[in-house]
Amino acid sequence: MRKLAQTFSIAATALFLAASPTFAADTAAALKALDPDDDGTIDMKEALAGAKKVFKTVNTDDDKTLEADELEGMLDAKGLDMADPDDDDSLDWKEYRALVKAKFKAANPDDDGTIDLKELESPAGQELMKLIYK
């Protein structure tokens, strides 16, 4: 039994280490793509530009709103409910923009108005990235 536990522990560690460079590369690639002024950070204007592209990309039925199926992997049912003040089970651009602004604020604990790589790699930063980068 102990040998089996060791095997699982080694496998889990290897999986974590193998996934980490990819995670870092994906986050670094997102930062680079979202940072046209190349200052190493994402400001609100850049985040909203990314959000606008994502909104258009995932709005597959082109109805100007995002429903749960279009937000899959980006926002769960509880998140949709919280971001949907008019309770129509969808997010229009205004609601999506407000959500992005809230996620940006959560990912910016130093409140300097920019998201750097470290902040983007945080759990809050990853939540923001889901909404602004595809």
Side-chain angles (χ1 to χ4, degrees):
M1 187 67 158
R2 183 172 181 190
K3 199 167 200 155
L4 182 61
Q6 279 181 321
T7 301
F8 279 123
S9 177
I10 291 168
T13 302
L15 183 60
F16 174 78
L17 292 175
S20 294
T22 302
F23 168 76
D26 289 346
T27 305
L31 178 61
K32 185 165 180 61
L34 292 164
D35 181 26
D37 63 5
D38 203 27
D39 68 353
T41 65
I42 303 167
D43 60 28
M44 183 64 76
K45 183 179 175 183
E46 292 165 334
L48 290 173
K52 189 72 163 174
K53 288 178 186 174
V54 170
F55 188 94
K56 288 179 181 179
T57 300
V58 300
N59 186 17
T60 55
D61 59 9
D62 201 29
D63 67 350
K64 309 236 185 297
T65 62
L66 302 180
E67 292 76 29
D69 62 324
E70 293 168 320
L71 290 163
E72 191 171 336
M74 298 167 56
L75 197 62
D76 62 16
K78 183 179 177 183
L80 174 58
D81 189 48
M82 291 175 61
D84 181 25
D86 61 7
D87 259 349
D88 65 353
D89 296 323
S90 68
L91 299 181
D92 60 23
W93 170 244
K94 183 179 175 184
E95 293 165 330
Y96 191 80
R97 179 182 163 112
L99 176 62
V100 168
K101 285 182 172 188
K103 297 285 186 181
F104 186 98
K105 184 175 175 135
N108 186 226
D110 61 6
D111 200 28
D112 68 352
T114 62
I115 304 292
D116 60 24
L117 183 61
K118 183 179 176 184
E119 290 168 325
L120 195 59
E121 289 175 338
S122 73
Q126 291 296 293
E127 289 298 310
L128 172 66
M129 195 165 79
K130 290 176 189 177
L131 301 174
I132 65 173
Y133 179 75
K134 283 280 180 211

